[in-house]
Amino acid sequence: MDEKQQRPRRPWWLWLIVGLGVAVMLFGLGAPSALFSGSEEEVTYDVFLDALEAGKVKEVQLKSGTLYYTLQAEAEAKPTQAPQLNFGFRPLTSSKKTKVYAVTAMNDPNLVDRLHAAGVTFSENAGTGNMLLLVLIQYLVPILFYVAIFSFFFRRMGKLGAGGGLMGGLGKSNARTVEGGEVKTTFADVAGQDEAKESLQEIVSYLHNPQEYTEIGARMPRGALLIGPPGTGKTLMARAVAGEAGVPFLSISGPEFVELFVGMGASKVRDLFKEAREKAPCIVFIDEIDAVGKKRDGFGGNDEREQTLNQLLSEMDGFEGNSGVVILAATNRPESLDKALLRPGRFDRRVPVELPDQGGREAILRIHCDRIKTAGPIDLAAIARITPGASGADLANVINEAALCAVRAGRHAVTQKDLEDSVDVALAGKQRKSMVISQHEKEIIAYHEVGHALVAARQKGASPVHKITIIPRTSGALGFTMQADEDERFLMDKQEAFAKIVTLTGGRAAEELCFDSVTTGASNDIEQATSIARAMITRYGMSESFGMTAFEQVVNPYLGNDTAMNCSQETAARIDREVIALIEKAYEQAKTILKDNRSKLDEIARVLIARETITGQEFMDILNAPVALPAKQEPGEAENEG
Ligand code: ADP
Ligand code: MG
Ligand code: ZN
């Protein structure tokens, strides 16, 4: 997207000072002081005169009352000098080999004549003009350098006091500003989520026409909080509001407030709201607000974050009723937000943005599908059916993966098969064609998967089988059985929950029944079965002995459904026993079903091994076909073999 982004700039002269400072530190400091470094040998005046008399003196330099001189012989032994940078001041010598002698100058008016007569190179280093510059560079630049560094860090640590400090421009809000009319996203880009759109439509019309609201004396909600799981389009929705309203859109993400340096967050909030007031009417969008808005607790906690939050709260209070600034925020952890943020007058409107239902999924798929080239009949409803629980972002990704898949295959358009394969990729990873699996293992995997499918098909309340495959996947899955409901389900009764567990145990049951051994392949099934069984007992009140008591609470409904146990040790142990019993019962039931359908199990597994993937339809056809065994005749559905 082509957005003009405004970022704070460092002043150019700061860089100049830093550059000069570095230069002085690298080259300058040592050079001028080489002469006075104490390496010269101090001699008395008569020693100097003797040397001069003997014609040994080569070079003399007078400097602030001291004569520095070198001797002939030693000077000739001097090796080639390395070039030196020394700011217009040539030291007498800088080679360590050449000895420099120093002698205090006496009042000796004939010295110059004698030096001349002896053919000595001599000079006086008056230096005052030069020296001034030298001192300036030598001392002032490093000082400026340190001042610059310190003030840079102090600025980062916050604007100490009210003043602007030495340097402007640092500590800006970092908000990305998109000018009015430049946000191209509209409500048309957001599929489903009609209720959320409706809630936000009011804000849009207020921003379009604030007078209508002020005339009647209505006060607009200051802020709306978009809450929902990740990838459901919260960020997208906020942009769409700005796009619809055609006002500037200032967006910043919560984590950007909480910086390494203390006090920055609060000053960023201040700057953000200052900018917003200048740009009003406009929308301020704070993404992932939980990063700053987390509950303040009594245990010290993160001072920086709390200061930022306090600043945010006070800025939100600072608005007059109809200032034209609307604040949107998004989070997937509403339960962790500070109560003060949620009270009326701040984020007084909550807009839930939930996972899409079947119709919503289809609509989202359609929006993203319209952006790619397709070929042949495309049935998006079928894709929506097999993607329960997918978010908008997941679905956008499914479409994109399908397009990538088509490109890989050298085609110019996406087909229905690409889309279906793409769902598999999203679910279980890419196919691992290179993986070599022995015939025996292949058989075990096939029986395991058919075990799931058969148990599902033979139970009331289980979802129909959509696909069975034994192609290994990059996620580590060696095969999977996909089930899909014709219509979306919103409730699950006890029988269905139990049927789910029975289906999950079907894989292991088939292994045990047919190979008389168990493998590690069922680990994921076991995990899922356990969590359903546990939820039935501790959260859904589906256990006879406990009844309607909750022993677990979901702590973050939008992120992974983590739970917190809330019961005594003794109850926890009883719950564990009950979970074990429930799963054991399910496992026995699965084994019974498979025993009763043993010939079908063998037959379907054989077909699956040959074809690697079979559809739900093919599966049902084999299952419903009369058994091909010559001895037995079974009427349709309910077959029972001894
Ligand atoms: P969130 O902020 O809720 O985590 P985003 O708004 O960043 O999710 O959504 C990520 C992407 O998923 C969007 O850029 C869009 O492509 C897609 N997406 C999500 N929800 C929808 C939707 N309702 N309609 C269309 N696309 C959606
Ligand atoms: Mg987001
Ligand atoms: Zn399994």
Side-chain angles (χ1 to χ4, degrees):
M1 260 168 237
D2 50 339
E3 295 167 7
K4 277 191 210 125
Q5 303 208 336
Q6 297 182 348
R7 296 209 164 267
R9 294 189 46 185
R10 310 257 180 276
W12 60 270
W13 50 267
L14 180 68
W15 294 119
L16 188 73
I17 291 175
V18 170
L20 267 175
V22 169
V24 167
M25 287 181 86
L26 286 182
F27 308 112
L29 281 178
S33 54
L35 191 67
F36 316 106
S37 64
S39 65
E40 62 272 336
E41 186 180 328
E42 294 229 8
V43 294
T44 51
Y45 202 68
D46 62 301
V47 174
F48 166 63
L49 284 185
D50 286 347
L52 188 63
E53 225 90 292
K56 282 199 222 146
V57 175
K58 186 181 180 220
E59 201 177 342
V60 177
Q61 205 174 72
L62 175 65
K63 183 169 163 52
S64 7
T66 306
L67 285 167
Y68 295 89
Y69 70 94
T70 57
L71 296 180
Q72 279 298 358
E74 289 170 14
E76 262 142 36
K78 179 163 78 172
T80 49
Q81 276 192 17
Q84 285 255 350
L85 178 74
N86 49 44
F87 297 100
F89 177 85
R90 192 174 64 87
L92 188 57
T93 178
S94 46
S95 163
K96 288 194 184 78
K97 281 277 169 62
T98 311
K99 193 138 193 188
V100 179
Y101 300 90
V103 59
T104 313
M106 308 276 285
N107 190 7
D108 190 348
N110 296 329
L111 181 64
V112 175
D113 290 342
R114 268 182 288 149
L115 284 171
H116 188 61
V120 176
T121 338
F122 66 95
S123 60
E124 179 171 355
N125 201 321
T128 39
N130 254 355
M131 279 309 282
L132 198 65
L133 186 71
L134 186 73
V135 167
L136 217 64
I137 292 171
Q138 202 181 333
Y139 296 102
L140 219 55
V141 171
I143 288 172
L144 278 178
F145 176 64
Y146 288 119
V147 168
I149 295 245
F150 272 102
S151 67
F152 177 76
F153 280 109
F154 273 114
R155 292 288 304 203
R156 299 226 69 188
M157 286 178 209
K159 288 175 182 164
L160 301 173
L166 196 58
M167 273 149 253
L170 300 165
K172 280 284 234 187
S173 69
N174 273 352
R176 284 168 294 275
T177 310
V178 187
E179 293 305 328
E182 279 182 24
V183 182
K184 296 284 176 274
T185 315
T186 63
F187 280 153
D189 294 310
V190 188
Q193 311 295 3
D194 293 334
E195 297 75 17
K197 278 193 223 171
E198 209 169 279
S199 277
L200 294 169
Q201 182 60 47
E202 199 174 355
I203 291 177
V204 172
S205 64
Y206 164 73
L207 286 169
H208 270 309
N209 198 357
Q211 298 91 302
E212 210 176 292
Y213 290 80
T214 36
E215 266 170 27
I216 204 167
R219 184 183 63 78
M220 248 343 258
R222 286 216 184 107
L225 184 64
L226 300 161
I227 54 179
T232 45
K234 299 181 294 297
T235 308
L236 188 70
M237 190 87 81
R239 301 189 63 83
V241 173
E244 291 280 333
V247 297
F249 182 66
L250 281 70
S251 74
I252 189 163
S253 141
E256 283 174 51
F257 281 127
V258 187
E259 289 232 349
L260 195 54
F261 297 101
V262 184
M264 270 309 271
S267 94
K268 278 189 169 185
V269 171
R270 228 182 346 251
D271 280 336
L272 176 68
F273 281 81
K274 192 166 145 249
E275 209 181 329
R277 267 183 224 110
E278 284 161 10
K279 287 208 154 67
C282 69
I283 291 173
V284 174
F285 176 49
I286 306 172
D287 210 350
E288 317 288 351
I289 195 173
D290 46 284
V292 273
K294 232 184 275 163
K295 279 191 193 89
R296 290 164 291 183
D297 50 29
F299 313 109
N302 185 340
D303 272 350
E304 162 66 348
R305 213 200 59 235
E306 288 188 7
Q307 281 197 18
T308 310
L309 174 59
N310 286 334
Q311 187 68 37
L312 185 64
L313 294 174
S314 80
E315 290 286 348
M316 286 191 79
D317 282 345
F319 282 120
E320 283 99 55
N322 290 303
S323 63
V325 179
V326 171
I327 300 149
L328 296 180
T331 180
N332 36 39
R333 306 190 52 198
E335 73 284 348
S336 76
L337 289 182
D338 198 279
K339 291 281 171 290
L341 261 182
L342 301 173
R343 77 142 166 77
R346 292 194 182 121
F347 289 108
D348 37 14
R349 187 165 285 198
R350 285 171 151 237
V351 182
V353 186
E354 295 288 342
L355 287 173
D357 58 11
Q358 197 164 314
R361 289 198 295 275
E362 194 180 337
I364 294 171
L365 286 166
R366 178 134 300 119
I367 281 190
H368 290 277
C369 205
D370 284 347
R371 296 176 188 163
I372 60 168
K373 273 194 199 156
T374 54
I378 298 282
D379 182 4
L380 292 178
I383 304 295
R385 256 200 310 280
I386 57 174
T387 47
S391 68
D394 293 332
L395 297 169
N397 190 43
V398 161
I399 300 278
N400 193 50
E401 274 293 330
L404 293 178
C405 174
V407 173
R408 265 198 302 275
R411 277 178 281 112
H412 296 289
V414 170
T415 62
Q416 179 74 12
K417 173 137 195 326
D418 288 329
L419 290 173
E420 277 178 23
D421 289 350
S422 177
V423 173
D424 292 354
V425 170
L427 211 73
K430 289 202 164 64
Q431 296 188 356
R432 268 172 73 178
K433 295 215 179 73
S434 60
M435 198 163 159
V436 182
I437 296 176
S438 71
Q439 187 60 29
H440 178 64
E441 284 197 337
K442 223 172 178 177
E443 276 172 23
I444 296 179
I445 298 164
Y447 271 90
H448 178 107
E449 296 306 335
V450 177
H452 285 306
L454 207 56
V455 169
R458 282 284 175 256
Q459 276 183 109
K460 261 199 272 153
S463 314
V465 174
H466 177 76
K467 177 192 248 175
I468 315 170
T469 169
I470 53 165
I471 300 170
R473 298 276 167 167
T474 46
S475 70
L478 297 168
F480 62 86
T481 303
M482 196 194 272
Q483 290 168 269
D485 283 305
E486 196 54 37
D487 298 305
E488 187 128 50
R489 303 293 308 272
F490 300 99
L491 284 175
M492 181 164 66
D493 66 26
K494 189 175 167 183
Q495 190 191 6
E496 287 162 344
F498 185 67
K500 265 203 163 104
I501 302 177
V502 178
T503 305
L504 282 164
T505 56
R508 165 63 66 87
E511 284 177 39
E512 203 198 326
L513 197 68
C514 306
F515 299 93
D516 202 17
S517 74
V518 292
T519 68
T520 53
S523 65
N524 187 263
D525 301 333
I526 294 171
E527 234 170 75
Q528 286 187 48
T530 311
S531 93
I532 295 173
R534 184 168 281 278
M536 280 173 75
I537 296 162
T538 60
R539 283 162 50 205
Y540 303 143
M542 289 178 180
S543 122
E544 269 103 45
S545 52
F546 288 114
M548 283 174 56
T549 315
F551 299 108
E552 265 181 14
Q553 272 93 35
V554 176
V555 262
N556 51 352
Y558 294 129
L559 290 173
N561 277 326
D562 288 342
T563 52
M565 266 293 221
N566 177 23
C567 61
S568 70
Q569 295 268 318
E570 188 196 333
T571 315
R574 269 179 69 201
I575 290 170
D576 287 340
R577 278 197 295 279
E578 198 148 317
V579 168
I580 294 167
L582 190 63
I583 293 177
E584 188 60 42
K585 188 174 148 206
Y587 186 59
E588 289 308 321
Q589 187 161 329
K591 272 205 288 199
T592 314
I593 292 173
L594 292 177
K595 266 184 210 146
D596 293 347
N597 294 276
R598 180 63 202 257
S599 68
K600 288 290 179 191
L601 175 61
D602 291 332
E603 195 183 344
I604 298 167
R606 255 199 318 278
V607 176
L608 183 60
I609 290 166
R611 296 194 208 159
E612 296 201 319
T613 299
I614 57 175
T615 65
Q617 192 55 53
E618 289 167 332
F619 167 76
M620 288 312 289
D621 288 347
I622 305 171
L623 192 61
N624 292 335
V627 176
L629 291 178
K632 276 189 181 165
Q633 276 291 343
E634 260 156 307
E637 296 265 87
E639 65 252 44
N640 259 320
E641 297 162 38

